[in-house]
Amino acid sequence: PSVSEVVRLVRGLVHGVSHYHRRTNIIHGDISSANIVISSGTKNVVLIDFGAAWPIERAALRETDAYTPPYAAAERIAKHASEDFRSDMFSVSAIAYELLTQKLPYDGLGGQAGTPNLAAKTAGSYRDPSTEILSRGRLTKETIHLLDECVGRGLKLHPDERFATSTEWLAAWDELHLSLKKGSRLSRVEELFLTGIDSLVSLFSRKKA
């Protein structure tokens, strides 16, 4: 998919997941490519399989766990930090990275890169998605910066380095989406060129009449 299509789909997912968190105070816990479908009618993403979901306040009391490496956040795997909505944020960001680059972040390790036994080896292995996209098309510098910020910050291996709130996360994706819409508009030179062509056509038509 194109960058704009990925941003559209992921932005919809970000809004849906954030709404789910706010309304239920429940973490999905296993957001992965296998648990996302694209509806044929609306072409929006739909999150499925809530078997691993749990209320945030009970996160520390769970005896069993289920997740899909490498989409799972490092704290889900290593238990080195508290789990909350930011764990789902990591998983959504991993999916965004995969859709943009056809690769998984941290050389395919995803959240596993943040576990104690791998953290030292994988330090510096993360690459911004913009450097891995085969065709940037007409992406502006602003869009590239926002794209790397939205995905990269959501993929931080420690939750405290990710977006602090759902509101902040949503705002970042909305800003990225808006920058793509602005970037799709004609430049001033292109507008002047087309205006000139229209004027010539009108002038020629009047002379011919």
Side-chain angles (χ1 to χ4, degrees):
S2 66
V3 172
S4 60
E5 182 68 0
V6 170
V7 171
R8 185 187 72 81
L9 290 171
V10 175
R11 175 175 173 260
L13 181 60
V14 169
H15 274 263
V17 170
S18 296
H19 181 71
Y20 172 70
H21 288 155
R22 291 195 305 271
R23 289 291 300 272
T24 66
N25 205 36
I26 290 177
I27 303 169
H28 183 281
D30 193 20
I31 299 177
S32 64
S33 58
N35 288 335
I36 290 179
V37 296
I38 299 180
S39 60
S40 59
T42 60
K43 294 187 177 179
N44 292 319
V45 292
V46 180
L47 186 60
I48 62 173
D49 192 355
F50 290 76
W54 75 91
I56 293 177
E57 64 270 16
R58 293 178 56 193
L61 303 177
R62 288 174 297 118
E63 295 181 359
T64 59
D65 216 343
Y67 54 81
T68 305
Y71 299 95
E75 63 270 18
R76 294 226 62 208
I77 304 170
K79 310 298 181 187
H80 68 293
S82 59
E83 300 176 52
D84 54 31
F85 78 94
R86 295 172 297 180
S87 299
D88 281 348
M89 181 190 297
F90 181 94
S91 300
V92 171
S93 301
I95 289 169
Y97 192 98
E98 184 179 24
L99 285 171
L100 288 165
T101 69
Q102 306 302 302
K103 300 176 182 179
L104 287 164
Y106 298 103
D107 290 336
L109 290 172
Q112 298 169 107
T115 57
N117 59 324
L118 290 174
K121 296 179 182 179
T122 59
S125 65
Y126 179 78
R127 289 182 289 276
D128 288 328
S130 66
T131 65
E132 299 291 315
I133 296 172
L134 295 178
S135 177
R136 295 186 182 184
R138 294 179 58 188
L139 297 182
T140 64
K141 290 183 179 180
E142 177 192 11
T143 296
I144 291 171
H145 170 75
L146 291 172
L147 181 69
D148 288 342
E149 172 70 9
C150 282
V151 179
R153 192 167 171 187
L155 283 172
K156 293 295 185 181
L157 294 174
H158 196 284
D160 289 345
E161 296 180 348
R162 299 172 203 149
F163 293 100
T165 65
S166 291
T167 301
E168 188 181 357
W169 188 33
L170 286 171
W173 277 94
D174 284 344
E175 187 179 3
L176 170 59
H177 184 254
L178 180 61
S179 77
L180 277 166
K181 294 182 72 173
K182 290 191 300 183
S184 65
R185 298 174 184 169
L186 294 175
S187 68
R188 181 60 179 162
V189 173
E190 290 170 326
E191 289 177 350
L192 290 172
F193 175 77
L194 291 178
T195 300
I197 292 294
D198 289 340
S199 299
L200 288 173
V201 170
S202 298
L203 179 62
F204 180 77
S205 298
R206 287 197 300 270
K207 285 183 176 181
K208 194 172 183 180

